[in-house]
């Protein structure tokens, strides 16, 4: 007996996260329905105007805000940014360069630098011992 493959669906919150958009800013029909994997792929391949507009101008969810500012999500919280921001608001923060933003960007740069150092160390260890003197 063959079973028919079921269509994988996801809740609107999951789909919004995968699309990188803030769920409350999406159209009501998106928020109230469920999406299949094929529908999500279609939205990614050929985004409708509402999706292009949200990606371009926001409001953006915290992961997108953090990425655009070059900080962590925790860094946003430490800086007092707890609400979604629009592209204009993100740009204004970049121009203003508040102290918390500069500090968090420096912290994030250090985290990336350390991650790269550890990656290099692990690569060297995996290659095995080098020639002995």
């Amino acid at each position: 007996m063959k079973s028919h493959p079921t269509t994988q669906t996801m809740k609107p919150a999951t789909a919004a996260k995968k699309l990188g958009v803030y769920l409350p800013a999406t159209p009501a029909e998106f928020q109230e329905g469920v999406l299949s994997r094929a529908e999500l792929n279609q939205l990614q391949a050929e985004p409708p105007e509402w999706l292009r507009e949200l990606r371009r101008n926001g409001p953006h969810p915290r992961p997108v805000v953090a990425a655009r500012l070059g900080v962590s999500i925790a860094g946003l919280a430490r800086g007092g940014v707890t609400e979604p921001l629009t592209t204009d608001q993100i740009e204004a923060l970049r121009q203003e360069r508040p102290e918390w933003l500069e500090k968090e960007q420096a912290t994030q740069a250090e985290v990336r630098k350390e991650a790269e150092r550890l990656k290099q160390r692990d690569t060297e260890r995996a290659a095995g011992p080098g020639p002995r003197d």
Side-chain angles (χ1 to χ4, degrees), residues 14-21 30 35 40 43-44 50-51 55:
T14 303
K17 187 174 183 178
K18 290 181 180 291
L19 292 170
V21 295
F30 181 87
L35 259 69
L40 177 72
L43 285 173
Q44 289 173 325
W50 66 264
L51 181 54
R55 286 177 170 169

Side-chain angles (χ1 to χ4, degrees), residues 50-66:
W50 66 264
L51 181 54
R52 288 194 303 270
E53 180 67 21
L54 273 179
R55 286 177 170 169
R56 186 174 33 251
N57 297 317
H60 303 288
R62 286 180 305 156
V64 173
V65 174

Side-chain angles (χ1 to χ4, degrees), residues 41-86:
N41 291 342
Q42 181 67 26
L43 285 173
Q44 289 173 325
E46 297 176 25
E49 182 56 34
W50 66 264
L51 181 54
R52 288 194 303 270
E53 180 67 21
L54 273 179
R55 286 177 170 169
R56 186 174 33 251
N57 297 317
H60 303 288
R62 286 180 305 156
V64 173
V65 174
R68 288 186 178 195
L69 290 174
V71 300
S72 66
I73 294 173
L76 282 179
R78 285 189 292 270
V81 178
T82 57
E83 297 297 317
L85 299 179
T86 64

Side-chain angles (χ1 to χ4, degrees), residues 93-131:
L93 276 174
R94 282 188 188 150
Q95 297 300 318
E96 293 167 15
R97 305 223 26 94
E99 185 178 330
W100 72 264
L101 180 58
E102 290 189 12
K103 180 182 177 201
E104 292 300 333
Q105 286 174 334
T107 299
Q108 193 67 12
E110 286 298 317
V111 167
R112 284 191 294 269
K113 185 177 173 183
E114 178 65 6
E116 184 59 35
R117 185 190 71 78
L118 293 174
K119 181 180 174 186
Q120 181 66 30
R121 181 200 67 189
D122 293 346
T123 300
E124 290 170 359
R125 283 183 179 174

Side-chain angles (χ1 to χ4, degrees), residues 17-32:
K17 187 174 183 178
K18 290 181 180 291
L19 292 170
V21 295
Y22 182 56
L23 180 61
T26 61
E29 60 270 10
F30 181 87
Q31 294 179 39
E32 295 164 1

